[in-house]
Amino acid sequence: MAMKITEDCVHCGACVTECPNEAISADDSLGRHVIDPEKCTECVGFYDTIKCQEVCPSESCVPDPDRQETEAVLIARARKLHPNKDFGENFPSRFRR
Ligand code: SF4
């Protein structure tokens, strides 16, 4: 399930540098940050926690119920986004905590 950012976002940008997939950008027209669901892996492959959610001061990074995805789908996305990285089979994942 990709994450999304709600209207509670205070546009601070704390999440941007935490994302391993460069999935988060500022949308000045909305006055908040947004997550590209085609780049979000719920941090699977990099961390066993969800980084944007951890650092967000306004608790506005939340799971998108309309984009429920399995670990297999998410690690496949990570591999596609980072073709030169060897994730192996013991990659960090919130599904394995
Ligand atoms: Fe990026 Fe991880 Fe947040 Fe997805 S859950 S937007 S990969 S920091």
Side-chain angles (χ1 to χ4, degrees), residues 3 18-21 23-24 35 40-43 50-52:
M3 301 294 285
E18 297 295 324
C19 179
N21 297 317
I24 306 172
I35 294 175
C40 177
T41 64
E42 298 177 33
C43 293
I50 294 178
K51 285 293 170 184
C52 54

Side-chain angles (χ1 to χ4, degrees), residues 1-3 15-25 34-47 49-52 69 73-83 85 87 92:
M1 170 157 42
M3 301 294 285
C15 54
V16 174
T17 52
E18 297 295 324
C19 179
N21 297 317
E22 297 182 3
I24 306 172
S25 59
V34 294
I35 294 175
D36 180 348
E38 297 303 325
K39 291 184 175 177
C40 177
T41 64
E42 298 177 33
C43 293
V44 166
F46 292 90
Y47 306 109
T49 56
I50 294 178
K51 285 293 170 184
C52 54
E69 294 166 310
V73 167
L74 295 166
I75 191 63
R77 181 174 298 144
R79 289 190 167 114
K80 190 173 170 190
L81 289 168
H82 305 273
K85 180 174 170 61
F87 288 92

Side-chain angles (χ1 to χ4, degrees), residues 3-17 23-36 52 56 58 60-61:
M3 301 294 285
K4 67 176 184 178
I5 296 178
T6 70
E7 292 175 358
D8 293 334
C9 171
V10 294
H11 213 27
C12 71
C15 54
V16 174
T17 52
I24 306 172
S25 59
D27 186 327
D28 291 331
S29 66
L30 291 176
R32 60 185 169 91
H33 282 67
V34 294
I35 294 175
D36 180 348
C52 54
C56 181
S58 56
S60 51
C61 298

